[in-house]
Amino acid sequence: MPDTQPERQTLRQLIRQRRKSLTQAEQQAAAQQLVSRFQEHPGILAARRIALYLANDGELDPLPAIHWLWAQQKEVFLPVLHPFTPGHLLFLRYTATSPMTRNRYGIAEPELDVQQVVPHSMLDLICTPLVAFDATGNRLGMGGGYYDRTLACWHEHGLGPRPLGLAHDCQQVDAVPQEQWDVPLPQIITPSRCWHFA
Ligand SMILES: Nc1ncnc2c1ncn2[C@@H]1O[C@H](COP(=O)(O)OP(=O)(O)OP(=O)(O)O)[C@@H](O)[C@H]1O
Ligand SMILES: [Mg+2]
């Protein structure tokens, strides 16, 4: 099997640079467009508990969408690095008053509080950030394998919450080289549209 790692690393750097070069005005406009996409998305409208993320590294910013979800009485959860199981995520309830901290990547996350942890199976939808995607839903992340692990059970057995990728339109590429552990996404929302792959 050919080693795809150099190709994946080059693609990561290229697309991370591309999204980081978006202006603040472009980022804000994209974040507002995401609210509109959420408002018309049946899966979002039907969900009660939704995992999202806080933007980092030029990612599409879900914060305005989170405020809209709160206004719709939906419960929002954020990923937290698992304290004991490296490479895994916990999902914690996120409200306007959640105490926050920074993880080892410098990303804001809710302070660990077991009462705020939700089992993955109780989430309706997991919105994943990503670095690059292609026209078949293949996903390249930041390289930690966190979402691949989180979604492995859904991918292999159809159990647990469905993933929904969120990305800027400029993160689409011709082809994302895939590895056996990568979980392709059935849907991706970009500011301009919703992509359906499965
Ligand atoms: N289900 C899994 N079980 C064990 N290891 C895994 C699993 N999924 C991914 N990994 C490991 O995680 C590492 C990083 O994977 P990869 O490069 O695909 O990350 P990514 O998809 O870019 O990151 P992320 O999922 O955090 O966005 C790889 O070394 C891979 O072996
Ligand atoms: Mg992967």
Side-chain angles (χ1 to χ4, degrees):
M1 267 257 263
D3 181 6
T4 65
Q5 294 313 327
E7 205 187 332
R8 283 157 72 95
Q9 214 33 45
T10 304
L11 190 60
R12 263 194 196 99
Q13 278 166 7
L14 177 77
I15 306 303
R16 285 182 61 189
Q17 204 48 53
R18 193 183 282 178
R19 72 183 182 187
K20 275 193 281 195
S21 63
L22 293 169
T23 65
Q24 208 182 343
E26 286 169 331
Q27 284 284 359
Q28 282 173 0
Q32 284 307 325
Q33 281 177 275
L34 179 62
V35 179
S36 303
R37 297 290 77 77
F38 270 25
Q39 289 171 340
E40 66 193 13
H41 189 279
I44 293 281
L45 296 174
R48 271 195 57 212
R49 301 191 183 92
I50 305 175
L52 280 121
Y53 62 88
L54 296 183
N56 176 53
D57 197 63
E59 288 165 346
L60 178 57
D61 181 5
L63 201 54
I66 288 174
H67 282 270
W68 178 76
L69 292 170
W70 282 338
Q72 308 309 302
Q73 318 303 327
K74 312 257 187 209
E75 293 183 12
V76 173
F77 297 82
L78 291 179
V80 169
L81 299 182
H82 198 293
F84 312 124
T85 318
H88 287 256
L89 298 173
L90 292 173
F91 288 91
L92 265 70
R93 180 84 188 273
Y94 179 51
T95 69
T97 57
S98 297
M100 302 296 284
T101 183
R102 286 201 182 266
N103 65 25
R104 90 169 95 100
Y105 299 108
I107 300 171
E109 60 175 37
E111 268 179 27
L112 196 50
D113 171 354
V114 284
Q115 293 191 329
Q116 302 300 324
V117 176
V118 69
H120 293 192
S121 60
M122 288 186 65
L123 294 168
D124 297 315
L125 211 50
I126 297 183
C127 295
T128 80
L130 56 93
V131 173
F133 70 98
D134 65 23
T136 58
N138 290 329
R139 169 184 182 276
L140 186 71
M142 288 283 274
Y146 290 98
Y147 283 96
D148 288 321
R149 288 185 193 84
T150 301
L151 299 171
C153 196
W154 171 81
H155 186 47
E156 285 157 31
H157 309 293
L159 296 173
R162 271 166 74 85
L164 172 61
L166 304 184
H168 292 287
D169 290 283
C170 68
Q171 291 172 239
Q172 190 191 354
V173 300
D174 286 343
V176 174
Q178 289 291 280
E179 292 288 354
Q180 84 232 7
W181 59 79
D182 284 320
V183 177
L185 298 170
Q187 288 187 13
I188 294 176
I189 295 183
T190 63
S192 73
R193 60 171 285 191
C194 180
W195 297 75
H196 297 262
F197 308 108

